[in-house]
Amino acid sequence: MSIVVPVYQGERTLRALIDEILPLTSRTYSPSGRPLVVEEVLLVFDHGPDGSADVIRELVSDHSFVRGVWLSRNFGQHPATLAGMASSGGEWIVTMDEDGQHDPADIGGLLDTALDRQSSVVYAKPTNAAPHGLWRNAASRGSKWLIATAMGADSTVSYQSYRLVLGEVGRSVAAYAGSEAYLDVALGWIAGEVTTSPVELREEHGRRSGYNVRTLLSHFWRMVLSSGTKGLRLVSFIGVAFAILGLVLVLWVLASYLLFDVGTEVQGWASTMVILLFGFGATLFSLGVVAEYVGVNVKTAMGKPPYLIVADPADGPLGRTATRPEPPEHTTPT
């Protein structure tokens, strides 16, 4: 197995995570008695604001199974995960967070589920509420429900960053996924059987989540755009709905004029303005959705990479910070 950990704020949590993984680097057994060995742990440095880079270097020096994967800049969790997948060599790839929520001891259960159900992708399915705030949990459930109902995703599978992926599937996705692709949607394009396995989430170890409202909304919107042309179909649905509404209003106005005595006074300015505002709002929303799809295709056509792996900056030209010593001052002999 290869374990891929995207690292953004792991200065205080990575050492404990590696200590928990360490027993799995020798031959161990899953709950059903299947042998497994973690051959490598890939720590993908995503240019976070703390001292994660130095911790990664120390762990690489201390453990032969730990490898550092260095990105040229901050790309985000999903691109960093793809970079780790592309660099892996295991028959299976496990992806997990850096913050201690995911217990490495559950990996054996994920493997049993994959082999019992012949699944190429297994997501961890939390048996308890995520250790986040009420609003974030509600937003997460709401977004997943919206994807499942409006976008046609599988409602029985809950996307999680703790997942087990068949190695050849994960590396193939990392090779062709575009810069705007949502990782789990891209996995669904080629994975065979996708299922879940129960796990219990733990509290984050002494740090707050790196996600805020803006990044969560961006995460959700990328999921929508990656799920195919269903967003464009929604635009068509809005157009048809407003066309039908307009026809109904026209028929109502004609019926009022022909069948009822409405007098000569001009009425209805407020309702007219409301209709115009709703109509223009729907039009602008539809144009915005279309523009997002055009933007995704433009970035893909221009060759924007989802990630770029580089050497450890400390070992290359950026690490050569020492300056040439000043020559000694010449003194006149006396």
Side-chain angles (χ1 to χ4, degrees):
M1 286 190 175
S2 300
I3 297 180
V4 173
V5 183
V7 178
Y8 183 71
Q9 297 183 76
E11 181 179 9
R12 293 185 291 174
T13 59
L14 281 178
R15 293 184 180 89
L17 177 61
I18 296 300
D19 287 342
E20 289 187 309
I21 294 174
L22 183 59
L24 301 177
T25 59
S26 300
R27 188 181 183 90
T28 57
Y29 294 89
S30 70
S32 295
R34 296 183 171 102
L36 66 92
V37 176
V38 173
E39 293 185 341
E40 59 181 357
V41 178
L42 298 104
L43 304 178
V44 186
F45 178 61
D46 199 25
H47 290 260
D50 62 359
S52 295
D54 292 333
V55 175
I56 291 175
R57 295 183 184 107
E58 293 173 5
L59 291 171
V60 170
S61 176
D62 294 340
H63 302 284
S64 60
F65 62 89
V66 177
R67 294 173 51 199
V69 179
W70 305 90
L71 302 183
S72 61
R73 64 169 178 82
N74 173 255
F75 286 91
Q77 183 185 25
H78 280 208
T81 304
L82 288 170
M85 286 182 169
S87 304
S88 68
E91 292 179 335
W92 293 92
I93 302 171
V94 177
T95 67
M96 58 194 312
D97 289 347
E98 62 186 8
D99 54 17
Q101 281 191 82
H102 304 149
D103 188 350
D106 292 324
I107 292 176
L110 298 178
L111 178 63
D112 283 337
T113 300
L115 295 177
D116 290 341
R117 302 186 184 181
Q118 292 295 288
S119 300
S120 55
V121 179
V122 179
Y123 288 99
K125 184 176 183 179
T127 57
N128 59 323
H132 303 301
L134 175 64
W135 290 110
R136 176 173 171 182
N137 287 340
S140 177
R141 288 193 298 269
S143 64
K144 291 172 183 176
W145 173 85
L146 181 60
I147 288 295
T149 54
M151 298 299 162
D154 187 352
S155 59
T156 64
V157 175
S158 178
Y159 293 156
Q160 293 285 335
S161 55
Y162 196 11
R163 55 175 89 79
L164 175 71
V165 183
L166 195 62
E168 56 190 9
V169 171
R171 285 183 286 273
S172 296
V173 168
Y176 72 72
S179 60
E180 300 301 311
Y182 190 85
L183 172 56
D184 298 299
V185 174
L187 284 172
W189 292 339
I190 63 171
E193 180 72 17
V194 178
T195 187
T196 61
S197 180
V199 302
E200 183 176 353
L201 296 180
R202 303 183 299 188
E203 291 287 338
E204 297 170 337
H205 290 174
R207 46 152 286 189
R208 297 181 60 185
S209 171
Y211 286 101
N212 53 37
V213 174
R214 183 183 64 82
T215 54
L216 286 172
L217 289 175
S218 175
H219 213 50
F220 168 72
W221 191 238
R222 177 181 289 185
M223 185 190 299
V224 173
L225 294 179
S226 298
S227 59
T229 58
K230 295 181 179 65
L232 293 176
R233 294 175 188 172
L234 177 63
V235 171
S236 301
F237 172 78
I238 292 174
V240 171
F242 272 84
I244 294 174
L245 178 61
L247 180 60
V248 170
L249 290 174
V250 168
L251 294 176
W252 181 80
V253 171
L254 289 176
S256 300
Y257 182 78
L258 296 175
L259 302 178
F260 304 100
D261 183 13
V262 296
T264 58
E265 182 180 357
V266 178
Q267 298 178 354
W269 284 107
S271 59
T272 301
M273 293 303 297
V274 170
I275 293 171
L276 288 175
L277 288 174
F278 271 103
F280 281 120
T283 300
L284 292 175
F285 172 78
S286 302
L287 290 175
V289 173
V290 174
E292 290 285 349
Y293 276 96
V294 172
V296 168
N297 284 278
V298 167
K299 290 178 181 178
T300 302
M302 292 176 65
K304 180 182 178 182
Y307 57 85
L308 176 62
I309 299 174
V310 298
D312 182 354
D315 294 336
L318 290 175
R320 299 170 190 163
T321 57
T323 58
R324 186 176 62 182
E326 293 292 335
E329 295 183 1
H330 293 284
T331 57
T332 304
T334 57

